[in-house]
Amino acid sequence: MPTTLIFATNNTNKVKEIKSVVGENLIVLSLADAGINIDIPEPFDTLEANATEKSTVIHQLTKKNCFSEDTGLEVAALNGAPGVKSARYAGEGRDFQSNIDLLLLNLQHEHHRAAQFRTVISLIWEQQEYLFEGICTGKISHEPKGTKGFGYDPVFIPDGAIISFAEMTMDEKNQFSHRKKAMNKLIDFLMQKLS
Ligand code: IMP
């Protein structure tokens, strides 16, 4: 019998990515799939605290096993910014293009362009919380390239690649992806619990 988990997000891109990495033993329901219409706040200063908040809110509401994830783009030359503020870097509009424009502006005279995506997953499993982390290191390009993916994908080139995330298919992105690495840890954990 496959296990069902609610994924506490309204981000359809993330739901698509995560559904593309889970096997047949796990059924992931988005909030929309579970019939939940709620905008979960992300008020805290760390990815960990925001992920915990999101999974806790949904667990309290549904009493079901669930997980959430929070991801930030951490740029070394900007002391880790935009980090936990990645979605709202250029303002409350959460506009991907404005965020990219501001990032490139802030890095325009910078040669050191190392960056990483960091994902934190908070799983609530049988009333207990577990955290899993996934990191993808790379660099910020000088100009956006590609139309696939979302967020900062057009300006992020992972280490080991010569094209941006937005130029990759989902399978190619999954070979590097921070979210996939964190998700693999969650899947390994569940496989142990269920075996
Ligand atoms: P949050 O986890 O929904 O708060 O995401 C923060 C922001 O980081 C998103 O709005 C995107 O701009 C960005 N982001 C998260 N994951 C990715 C990714 O895989 N590629 C590109 N940008 C991402």
Side-chain angles (χ1 to χ4, degrees):
M1 256 284 271
T3 303
T4 300
L5 271 185
I6 298 176
F7 181 15
T9 186
N10 291 310
N11 184 325
T12 51
N13 295 294
K14 290 182 177 180
V15 175
K16 254 190 247 157
E17 277 192 12
I18 282 194
K19 284 188 175 175
S20 81
V21 302
V22 298
E24 289 171 358
N25 289 329
L26 191 59
I27 296 175
V28 172
L29 296 182
S30 67
L31 289 181
D33 294 336
I36 300 165
N37 182 5
I38 179 176
D39 193 19
I40 316 168
E42 297 178 343
F44 298 107
D45 289 340
T46 63
L47 299 175
E48 285 78 1
N50 281 333
T52 297
E53 173 73 7
K54 290 189 271 190
S55 58
T56 305
V57 166
I58 295 307
H59 182 252
Q60 283 171 351
L61 198 68
T62 62
K63 310 281 179 253
K64 297 212 165 101
N65 293 327
C66 64
F67 71 98
S68 72
E69 69 91 64
D70 206 27
T71 295
L73 174 66
E74 301 172 337
V75 180
L78 302 176
N79 297 318
V84 72
K85 303 261 180 317
S86 293
R88 300 178 174 83
Y89 190 41
E92 284 304 314
R94 294 171 143 255
D95 178 57
F96 291 156
Q97 190 56 52
S98 313
N99 286 339
I100 287 177
D101 291 346
L102 182 61
L103 180 66
L104 293 182
L105 184 70
N106 288 340
L107 288 175
Q108 64 180 328
H109 303 300
E110 188 56 65
H111 296 294
H112 179 57
R113 303 181 74 91
Q116 64 179 28
F117 276 113
R118 192 164 73 87
T119 290
V120 174
I121 289 180
S122 160
L123 168 72
I124 299 188
W125 180 259
E126 322 236 305
Q127 335 305 331
Q128 280 229 39
E129 188 195 22
Y130 304 87
L131 293 176
F132 307 94
E133 184 187 64
I135 290 177
C136 173
T137 58
K139 61 175 184 290
I140 305 299
S141 59
H142 288 269
E143 55 185 44
K145 280 208 180 133
T147 52
K148 299 192 217 10
F150 69 103
Y152 298 90
D153 279 348
V155 290
F156 185 82
I157 301 175
D159 287 340
I162 52 168
I163 56 174
S164 78
F165 266 167
E167 294 176 286
M168 296 182 184
T169 62
M170 197 172 292
D171 280 352
E172 286 167 338
K173 180 175 175 184
N174 279 339
Q175 287 171 26
F176 303 94
S177 158
H178 41 291
R179 194 167 295 105
K180 168 122 194 304
K181 286 176 188 157
M183 200 59 204
N184 281 349
K185 290 181 186 171
L186 180 148
I187 292 169
D188 286 351
F189 171 89
L190 288 177
M191 292 303 123
Q192 275 182 17
K193 288 277 174 198
L194 296 169
S195 63

